[in-house]
Amino acid sequence: MKRRSVIRDYILLYAAFFLYSISSVMSKLASQHDTFSVGFIAFYFLSLAILGVYAIVWQKLLKRFDLITAYANRSAITIMGVVWGVTLFHEPLTWNMVLGSVIMILGIRLVALDHVE
C-alpha cells in the first residue's frame, strides 16, 4: 500500500513539473506578440494562472517529499523545456543539451537511489 502512495506522489510531482513547463510555453508564445496586444495579454495571463496553480500544488507536494528529493527532481523541468523548444518552436537540439539532460537524469537517479528504503 505504501509503495502505491509513493508512486502516486511521484506522478503528482511530475504532473506539477509538466504544468510548470507549460507556463514556459505560454511565456514563449506571449513573447511572439506585440507587447500589450490581445495575444500577449492572453498568453501572459495563462502563464501566470498556471504558475499560480503550480505554486499551490508545489507547496502541497513539499509535505510529501524530502526537500532535496523534490528539488533534485525539479531539474526535469529543464529537460521538458528542451523537448518543448525542439518540438513546438523548432529550436535546434545541440549535443550540449543532450549531455546536460543525461547528466540531470543521472543526478535525479542518484538522489532517488540514495533515498530508497
Side-chain angles (χ1 to χ4, degrees), residues 14-82:
Y14 276 84
F17 294 157
F18 178 79
L19 190 63
Y20 184 91
S21 73
I22 294 296
S23 77
S24 298
V25 171
M26 295 299 122
S27 294
K28 176 79 171 182
L29 291 171
S31 74
Q32 296 175 349
H33 295 280
D34 292 332
T35 306
F36 301 115
S37 68
V38 173
F40 174 86
I41 292 170
F43 284 119
Y44 196 72
F45 175 79
L46 281 171
S47 177
L48 291 176
I50 291 168
L51 285 175
V53 171
Y54 167 78
I56 293 167
V57 172
W58 176 247
Q59 293 304 312
K60 295 294 184 183
L61 286 169
L62 284 178
K63 293 178 183 179
R64 300 177 184 195
F65 290 95
D66 292 337
L67 196 58
I68 192 162
T69 302
Y71 273 93
N73 280 276
R74 268 189 79 170
S75 61
I77 296 169
T78 304
I79 298 168
M80 291 176 196
V82 170

Side-chain angles (χ1 to χ4, degrees), residues 3 10 66 69 109-117:
R3 181 164 170 79
Y10 272 99
D66 292 337
T69 302
R109 184 70 181 138
L110 284 174
V111 170
L113 286 175
D114 191 47
H115 287 85
V116 171
E117 297 179 16

